[in-house]
Amino acid sequence: MEQQPKFYIVDSSLLPEVFLKVAKVNRSLQSGEFRTVGEATQQIGLSRSAYYKYKDGVKPLFEAANHSIITFNLMVTDEAGVLSDVLSVFARSGANILTINQSIPVNGQAAVTVAARTGEMNRPVEQMMSDIMEISGVARMEILARE
């Protein structure tokens, strides 16, 4: 009888260095920084055998599920084009937007809730959120829920 994997949320500061390096190799390969596992492991200082041993078991929280749905809450200014710029970042990241809800602006700001399927993204969720926070007119972005 095959045992189902168990997952834990652990602060990265508590993890052995090998797990952090595996995650770094995975990120660098996904981003295109390195073309091969050999290049990435050599630059990051990890043996290829250690990488292959752990590569499928070490993933950032947001990449743990293949087809996860994340609900984001944003506060944006009431200016033309801000929401469009936000949605463009979702699209460039490969997130599949499922729903968008925007409140009526109050005092020049509107709350926006976006639910998106993130399993097929071409960059980490954290990077997408960072890119969105750089948009002029985005005051806040946080994760409300994750399925």
Side-chain angles (χ1 to χ4, degrees):
M1 186 166 152
E2 191 175 317
Q3 189 177 13
Q4 289 291 333
K6 293 182 180 179
F7 298 97
Y8 300 93
I9 298 174
V10 180
D11 187 292
S12 64
S13 66
L14 301 174
L15 293 174
E17 186 177 8
V18 66
F19 295 150
L20 299 174
K21 287 184 176 183
V22 167
K24 191 171 184 179
V25 169
N26 283 338
R27 269 193 315 274
S28 67
L29 290 169
Q30 182 182 24
S31 71
E33 181 181 352
F34 298 108
R35 294 181 306 132
T36 67
V37 170
E39 281 180 68
T41 54
Q42 183 177 13
Q43 288 295 317
I44 291 169
L46 179 68
S47 72
R48 286 179 43 190
S49 62
Y51 173 73
Y52 283 113
K53 181 176 181 179
Y54 297 117
K55 74 177 181 74
D56 294 326
V58 177
K59 297 189 184 307
L61 175 63
F62 298 118
E63 294 177 13
N66 287 342
H67 299 288
S68 61
I69 296 173
I70 300 177
T71 303
F72 301 91
N73 184 41
L74 298 95
M75 187 61 68
V76 300
T77 57
D78 182 23
E79 297 174 20
V82 174
L83 183 56
S84 176
D85 291 345
V86 168
L87 297 177
S88 292
V89 174
F90 275 91
R92 284 193 308 272
S93 299
N96 180 18
I97 296 176
L98 304 173
T99 64
I100 304 167
N101 295 301
Q102 180 176 342
S103 68
I104 300 290
V106 175
N107 295 327
Q109 300 231 315
V112 178
T113 304
V114 178
R117 183 166 285 121
T118 58
E120 302 296 321
M121 288 180 49
N122 56 30
R123 68 174 100 177
V125 171
E126 296 92 339
Q127 180 63 53
M128 180 188 74
M129 291 177 69
S130 176
D131 292 348
I132 290 172
M133 284 302 300
E134 292 178 8
I135 296 171
S136 177
V138 175
R140 184 182 79 225
M141 181 175 193
E142 60 189 1
I143 294 175
L144 284 181
R146 182 173 181 272
E147 296 179 32

